[in-house]
Amino acid sequence: QLVTLGTAGNPGREGGARCGGLPSVPVGCFGVSRCPCGGPQPFWGVPAGNTALVLSPPATAPPLLLLGELSREGAALPPGVLNVLVGPPGLCQALRAHPEIASVTFLGAPQEELQALVWGSPCRGPRLGGPRGGRVVVIVLDSADLDSAAAAIAATTAAPPALVGLRASRGALGRFFGGEVGPLPPGTHLPDGVVQEAREEGAQVFQAPLPLPEGGRRFYPPTLISGVAPTSRCLRELAPGPLLALLPVRGPTEAVAVASALPHTTAAAVWAQDITVALDTADRMPQGLVWLNSLDLLDPSGGCAGGPADTDLDEALREFGCPPWEQPPKVDEPLSPLVTVDDPGDPELAQAVAAARGAAPGWGRLPGASRARVLRGASAALGGEHGTPKDGDNGDTDGNLQRALLRWAALVERAGGAVQVGVVGVLGVAWGWPRPLALQLLLPALALGNCVVVVAPSVGVGPAQRLRKALVAAGLPGDALTVLPRNSRGSGSLLARQHPDGLWLCGGDA
Amino acid sequence: ELGWISKVHVNRPAVVRHAEQIKKWKTVKGNWQAAWLLKAVTCIDLTTLSGDDTPSNVQRLCFKAKHPIREDLLKALDMRDKGITVGAVCVYPARVSDAVNTLKAAGCNISVASVAAGFPSGQTPLETKLTEIRLAVEYGAREIDIVISRSLALTGQWESLYEEIRLCRAACGEAHMKTILATGELGSLANVYKASMIAMMAGSDFIKTSTGKEVENATFPVGIVMMRAIKEYYWQTGYKVGFKPAGGIRTAKEAITWLMLVKEELGVEWLKPELFRLGASSLLGDIEQQIFYHVTGSYALQHELAMA
């Protein structure tokens, strides 16, 4: 599902390229190093505007080569954007060392000796992507900060098997339980059998007595299994669920040996405060990705480790409607009190402009997809309301407005990338015509990331306030759109005195 | 037991990252939020530590301590007769007698806590520190908040630090002692951990993060490290030492986050005034506002809630 979104979207579409909630900035050229393990490999970086160089071993090359050829032919990608290189895994050293490659992702399980790329605190060198599937091996050496390691393991989404140095084992047991319990992914069996087998072989099994939420079979308590060996089933197989197996080792060398021998590991973590030992151990690990004193740090421009809660998949899917568990925003609820001054003078305008200036960076920096979502939400909110329109305009205005909102939402999403075009900042609009305020004019400004302060005669203010309510209910920051009713003339010059970044004067009386 | 602190390792970025995630935890809402807020109120040490404290403002503080939340709000929450008062009143030694007399006259047995031992810098000779503690106890303080000498901690003289805290404990006599570690001035999280362990080994009943007068006061990374030290001490010896974050806690939301953190790290047994306090002065006002909002649906004007 993730793959189709990534390759079927337009280049520059952000829905497929974001992970972890961070905006994706084009970094230039990035390298992808693959090992034979099959499965779909989404190239997230390409839609974000990067070029990719994929290094693949000969065994899995044909589909990638085909992809490379197709991308050139069908005019989907310009030449040079996606390059596939077939070669021995040793070439990835060259990939890592090349000065023009900005970021390296490792996909797949390790099969041969690969020198590890280290990321942790602090780190220099190319940034790394996250592992996809598989397990994480955590090595805790005796100069490690045990509490932080335990907290990080408990917080991580994938439960790793852990290797523990001798001294640390006594204290480790109590610290691993905590955090929230989530359901197992659908289609998997409970790991009861694995745990039972471990018990029969004499391992100690500790299960947290957490009160499990309703829903029975899909939840399994976090389990700590101690006293197992690499021959046990829980380590040989990839069992789903929160299982943590502890293996004691005598030193860093043995830790490396045992970690190399475990199957299905895509990444590793080394916890040690002694930096020489830590780096040395990390260097000798066969996994492509090794974290140092941390876990699950992901790089948004590389491969994505899933975690649907953090991606913008739901943002992108909103184009097709609201998910059933979410209500479209309601407009009838009262918002912050409206400005009740009939004729706003300098201080009120100053306040409105200052507030808009405060909201401007936040609104302007949001990517197009988020702003599009706000506009669509406002459109849904306006559509749901069937009350009588105030101030004498006909219901048709709302229909036009909704369509305009949707149109601008679509435009912004397509155009939206990290580079924002046309963000002015705070826009002041002084409306001088006796006719009601034409709201469609405000939409492009808002959609492109500006904040608007409107001064209009009180005749047309009703629908404007309704639009504002709908937008704020959908997620617009409250100060991004302010509508001030003012009946006297000269609103334009008053607004100009507040020095907004842009000023529209509409009509003779402004 | 120097062996306990010789091999302390604290990974600062990992702790900071853990602290960042705490801020993203889902917080309680509705009735549960009101309950947690009332629990926070009972754990507050209402504090006034300014140069311009006089008997009048101390008296006002004591009355606020006795009635921290307006009666009708408590009645609406059905908590009127549960004896909701703050945990203690914290003042300078010179004002202890005023506070004690006021509370006795009001018929209230909230303890008065006094800061001592050269608060806030701790750069006074040991003799004067001990005298100050003894005098504060004589004036009627039932809790003493002492300040450690940061110079001893920073130069690694752990035995001297232990000795100093032990002597202060002896001087406190029956009074309950909180040791202020002034974590903002200790330099590193490893030092915070070591100082916490030393303070606990020397007999503190509570360890407190800061004086409230430093640049950096109670932050979550420091709190996490101290709570881990408390947990470790409890596993080693079976003694439960209390924890008090102080300084910089101004909003009700922060107070609830601290309570949640204590519950996660130390457990529910620590969530009572005997083992957890919040050192704050303006926090009570914000909590009362939130409870007012919960009961009435709008925020109170300034004159509607009693001033501390």
Side-chain angles (χ1 to χ4, degrees):
Chain A
Q1 191 188 19
L2 288 173
V3 172
T4 46
L5 202 58
T7 52
N10 307 319
R13 184 193 177 96
E14 268 189 316
R18 277 176 49 162
C19 315
L22 299 171
S24 188
V25 178
V27 291
C29 179
F30 76 100
V32 179
S33 168
R34 265 200 63 171
C35 258
C37 85
Q41 302 295 332
F43 297 110
W44 297 119
V46 173
N50 306 305
T51 51
L53 173 64
V54 183
L55 177 66
S56 168
T60 47
L64 283 174
L65 287 172
L66 184 62
L67 183 64
E69 230 182 83
L70 286 176
S71 64
R72 226 183 27 199
E73 274 182 30
L77 293 172
V81 171
L82 179 64
N83 307 291
V84 180
L85 196 63
V86 180
L91 268 189
C92 67
Q93 317 292 5
L95 205 67
R96 178 170 67 140
H98 198 281
E100 288 186 40
I101 290 196
S103 159
V104 181
T105 301
F106 183 81
L107 299 167
Q111 293 274 337
E112 302 179 18
E113 275 294 319
L114 287 174
Q115 197 168 4
L117 306 170
V118 172
W119 189 13
S121 53
C123 166
R124 313 243 179 275
R127 305 186 294 170
L128 304 177
R132 185 110 174 94
R135 288 187 295 199
V136 176
V137 180
V138 178
I139 297 186
V140 180
L141 299 175
D142 52 356
S143 65
D145 180 5
L146 274 189
D147 296 296
S148 296
I153 294 177
T156 189
T157 45
L163 301 177
V164 188
L166 267 185
R167 176 191 84 99
S169 51
R170 66 160 172 89
L173 301 176
R175 299 176 221 228
F176 284 114
F177 297 122
E180 298 179 353
V181 182
L184 291 174
T188 54
H189 301 291
L190 290 179
D192 275 332
V194 171
V195 175
Q196 191 51 33
E197 236 185 79
R199 267 204 197 100
E200 281 162 15
E201 286 179 0
Q204 293 103 41
V205 175
F206 303 90
Q207 289 192 321
L210 293 177
L212 294 179
E214 297 299 302
R217 292 196 50 80
R218 303 263 30 106
F219 291 92
Y220 196 74
T223 309
L224 184 63
I225 308 179
S226 151
V228 284
T231 49
S232 316
R233 195 170 141 208
C234 54
L235 288 173
R236 275 194 340 251
E237 289 179 3
L238 198 59
L243 290 183
L244 183 65
L246 282 181
L247 292 167
V249 291
R250 286 169 293 180
T253 324
E254 197 178 345
V256 169
V258 177
S260 325
L262 288 175
H264 306 297
T265 52
T266 47
V270 176
W271 286 82
Q273 288 292 102
D274 184 344
I275 193 113
T276 334
V277 171
L279 284 174
D280 181 50
T281 315
D283 253 356
R284 291 187 281 160
M285 301 284 286
Q287 279 81 14
L289 175 62
V290 179
W291 287 298
L292 203 55
N293 282 327
S294 53
L295 261 187
D296 269 1
L297 289 179
L298 294 180
D299 175 33
S301 72
C304 180
D310 279 338
T311 61
D312 268 307
L313 189 58
D314 60 335
E315 301 249 353
L317 287 177
R318 254 165 239 267
E319 186 180 23
F320 306 103
C322 244
W325 56 86
E326 218 181 80
Q327 307 299 322
K330 294 199 198 353
V331 174
D332 301 312
E333 290 157 32
L335 292 179
S336 54
L338 306 176
V339 172
T340 47
V341 179
D342 280 328
D343 261 349
D346 264 341
E348 286 83 10
L349 277 179
Q351 198 182 15
V353 172
R357 218 176 270 293
W363 178 239
R365 254 189 257 133
L366 275 186
S370 310
R371 290 206 295 268
R373 180 166 66 91
V374 169
L375 292 173
R376 276 195 211 104
S379 156
L382 280 179
E385 210 186 53
H386 293 295
T388 52
K390 297 194 182 90
D391 290 340
D393 24 79
N394 42 4
D396 199 28
T397 328
D398 268 358
N400 275 339
L401 199 51
Q402 274 181 278
R403 279 197 288 277
L405 277 168
L406 287 175
R407 202 169 57 233
W408 278 103
L411 266 172
V412 153
E413 197 165 29
R414 247 174 275 146
V419 177
Q420 309 289 1
V421 177
V423 176
V424 166
V426 175
L427 197 62
V429 176
W431 186 260
W433 297 115
R435 294 178 248 146
L437 176 61
L439 297 169
Q440 272 93 331
L441 290 182
L442 301 179
L443 294 183
L446 279 176
L448 288 176
N450 305 301
C451 291
V452 183
V453 175
V454 183
V455 179
S458 27
V459 172
V461 158
Q465 291 288 13
R466 209 162 55 237
L467 173 65
R468 178 174 177 266
K469 269 204 238 173
L471 282 167
V472 173
L476 184 74
D479 296 318
L481 173 61
T482 319
V483 183
L484 298 170
R486 183 190 157 87
N487 276 321
S488 40
R489 309 159 56 125
S491 17
S493 47
L494 263 190
L495 206 49
R497 279 215 282 272
Q498 308 303 330
H499 305 291
D501 299 314
L503 186 61
W504 287 352
L505 298 171
C506 313
D509 277 352
Chain B
E1 287 274 9
L2 270 184
W4 289 5
I5 59 162
S6 55
K7 281 206 237 152
V8 164
H9 302 285
V10 178
N11 188 279
R12 196 197 161 87
V15 174
V16 169
R17 230 176 280 132
H18 187 55
E20 290 296 309
Q21 281 176 359
I22 285 164
K23 292 179 197 157
K24 296 185 195 151
W25 284 351
K26 275 194 263 195
T27 185
V28 287
K29 299 270 183 232
N31 278 339
W32 288 273
Q33 187 185 41
W36 282 66
L37 286 175
L38 288 177
K39 166 68 78 182
V41 167
T42 58
C43 292
I44 289 183
D45 271 1
L46 205 54
T47 308
T48 175
L49 293 168
S50 329
D52 56 0
D53 280 342
T54 55
S56 60
N57 80 321
V58 169
Q59 194 183 45
R60 200 170 57 218
L61 193 80
C62 292
F63 280 115
K64 183 72 180 174
K66 186 175 175 207
H67 299 286
I69 309 278
R70 235 168 65 170
E71 294 287 319
D72 56 338
L73 297 175
L74 284 182
K75 196 161 155 202
L77 293 172
D78 206 19
M79 295 292 285
R80 189 144 167 224
D81 303 319
K82 306 280 166 88
I84 303 248
T85 60
V86 301
V89 173
C90 188
V91 289
Y92 271 117
R95 301 271 74 85
V96 168
S97 29
D98 300 320
V100 166
N101 293 338
T102 311
L103 287 172
K104 198 154 55 174
C108 185
N109 72 341
I110 303 176
S111 30
V112 174
S114 163
V115 295
F119 186 92
S121 66
Q123 300 273 10
T124 53
L126 187 54
E127 292 304 313
T128 46
K129 288 188 187 183
L130 296 174
T131 314
E132 203 181 349
I133 296 175
R134 278 187 215 111
L135 283 176
V137 175
E138 244 178 69
Y139 292 152
R142 277 188 279 163
E143 298 179 8
I144 306 282
D145 288 12
I146 66 154
V147 182
I148 62 167
S149 301
R150 270 78 88 192
S151 53
L152 293 178
L154 288 168
T155 50
Q157 299 176 50
W158 301 110
E159 286 112 333
S160 315
L161 184 62
Y162 173 85
E163 196 50 37
E164 182 187 290
I165 301 180
R166 198 183 61 77
L167 287 172
C168 290
R169 179 82 195 110
C172 283
E174 292 290 319
H176 145 136
M177 182 173 92
K178 297 196 191 81
T179 308
I180 303 180
L181 303 177
T183 52
E185 291 174 354
L186 280 181
S188 71
L189 289 179
N191 271 351
V192 169
Y193 190 95
K194 291 180 192 174
S196 314
M197 288 302 268
I198 296 278
M200 288 190 283
M201 287 194 272
S204 320
D205 297 295
F206 258 72
I207 48 175
K208 179 169 160 182
T209 57
S210 35
T211 57
K213 311 278 185 205
E214 289 116 37
V215 174
E216 190 191 301
N217 288 307
T219 55
F220 292 123
V222 154
I224 290 170
V225 170
M226 285 174 68
M227 283 192 264
R228 286 176 181 173
I230 293 177
K231 206 161 48 173
E232 181 72 28
Y233 190 75
Y234 174 59
W235 278 338
Q236 296 283 355
T237 61
Y239 278 115
K240 290 187 186 169
V241 174
F243 174 63
K244 176 173 169 180
I249 306 177
R250 286 184 197 95
T251 62
K253 183 168 191 304
E254 276 169 36
I256 291 189
T257 314
W258 275 107
L259 283 173
M260 278 164 49
L261 185 59
V262 168
K263 178 170 180 275
E264 288 292 327
E265 291 277 333
L266 294 172
V268 180
E269 309 96 61
W270 258 266
L271 276 183
K272 50 187 190 202
E274 290 82 13
L275 285 175
F276 178 70
R277 295 285 176 84
L278 282 163
S281 41
S282 51
L283 175 63
L284 187 55
D286 195 51
I287 292 185
E288 205 179 353
Q289 272 283 15
Q290 298 302 327
I291 294 187
F292 188 95
Y293 180 75
H294 173 74
V295 170
T296 60
S298 60
Y299 285 107
L301 299 171
Q302 197 184 13
H303 61 262
E304 288 180 331
L305 297 176
M307 181 178 161

